[in-house]
Amino acid sequence: MLIRTTAWYEARIIFGIASLLPLLILPGYMLIGWIVWTNGQSLPPLSQIASVFELALTLSGGLACAHLMTIEREEGFDEMRRTYAERSWRVPVLRAMEAAALIAFSGLLAALLFSFAYGRYDFNQVVLPAFAPALYLAGLALLVNNISGSYWIAAGVAVGYWYGEFTSQGVYTRALFLFNHSAPLPDLDPLLNRALLIGGALVFFALNAAYSAWRRRGYVGR
């Protein structure tokens, strides 16, 4: 019963408007594209579609996760929940898993819609590389949201980071360049870049859990 109650509670959180609207950016683009392309317009090259996946999924992942750590605070439920007999890492780990599920849902739905318009294509080259930067920005958004207690600050950091990467093309982040698959740096191994981004996401998830434990022990107030 407890598991079912928790699952229902978490589902209501992650499938709220604040999460669903950003997640529809990429599938919405593919749906519109499918309609346009099947009405006589030529399909864009796969390299362009890969760029769209990387840019849109990364941004939507960050925005969709920018409120997940402050739901309890916004509803005035945080202090009560901190008295529950649950491990301090449970909520941040659940939210990290939910972030990954949201990103996977958006990316796979968009990939399915694109397949209707294009037919068979190389999933590993077009879609899969977009998940690493999306997880990285989602992890950053979760951590900033937890520390700041504000959706707007977390969303602003996510958009600012995304825009900075888009305009600077990895000049400052180098090995952690978010869009190295669609705009590769000449001296950066793409597999290393993807591994570092996933590692960075895991670091953000771990820091988020550590900060939650610190808050729960009473070092930080509301």
Side-chain angles (χ1 to χ4, degrees):
M1 181 67 178
L2 178 61
I3 294 175
R4 194 168 80 175
T5 303
T6 301
W8 171 248
Y9 173 77
E10 294 294 328
R12 289 181 62 188
I13 289 174
I14 66 172
F15 289 110
I17 296 297
S19 292
L20 287 180
L21 284 180
L23 291 175
L24 293 176
I25 294 174
L26 182 56
Y29 176 92
M30 292 301 166
L31 179 60
I32 294 171
W34 178 25
I35 295 171
V36 171
W37 299 326
T38 53
N39 281 288
Q41 298 292 331
S42 60
L43 284 164
L46 284 180
S47 59
Q48 182 178 332
I49 295 298
S51 178
V52 169
F53 267 95
E54 197 166 43
L55 290 168
L57 189 62
T58 300
L59 178 61
S60 62
L63 289 177
C65 299
H67 74 298
L68 292 182
M69 292 306 302
T70 53
I71 294 294
E72 285 81 7
R73 276 177 263 182
E74 292 168 1
E75 298 297 328
F77 179 61
D78 183 55
E79 290 187 3
M80 181 182 294
R81 181 154 192 174
R82 277 192 277 170
T83 65
Y84 287 7
E86 62 179 359
R87 295 189 180 277
S88 57
W89 49 260
R90 186 170 182 268
V91 170
V93 168
L94 278 173
R95 302 292 153 80
M97 294 171 62
E98 289 158 8
L102 290 172
I103 291 168
F105 168 78
S106 179
L108 294 176
L109 178 58
L112 179 63
L113 291 171
F114 180 64
S115 71
F116 293 150
Y118 189 86
R120 295 185 62 182
Y121 62 93
D122 190 343
F123 180 88
N124 293 332
Q125 287 299 314
V126 176
V127 181
L128 193 60
F131 288 107
L135 285 170
Y136 180 90
L137 200 61
L140 176 62
L142 286 174
L143 178 60
V144 173
N145 181 230
N146 199 4
I147 294 173
S148 69
S150 168
Y151 162 79
W152 295 107
I153 292 176
V157 168
V159 172
Y161 195 104
W162 180 91
Y163 183 75
E165 286 285 79
F166 179 71
T167 55
S168 69
Q169 293 294 290
V171 169
Y172 305 107
T173 52
R174 303 301 299 170
L176 287 171
F177 179 36
L178 293 180
F179 311 126
N180 187 64
H181 178 68
S182 56
L185 298 176
D187 56 346
L188 179 58
D189 181 0
L191 293 179
L192 174 63
N193 168 254
R194 229 170 292 167
L196 289 174
L197 288 174
I198 293 173
L202 293 176
V203 169
F204 287 139
F205 292 151
L207 290 174
N208 188 41
Y211 182 79
S212 290
W214 195 53
R215 274 192 87 248
R216 186 164 182 174
R217 286 197 294 267
Y219 293 112
V220 181
R222 289 178 64 117

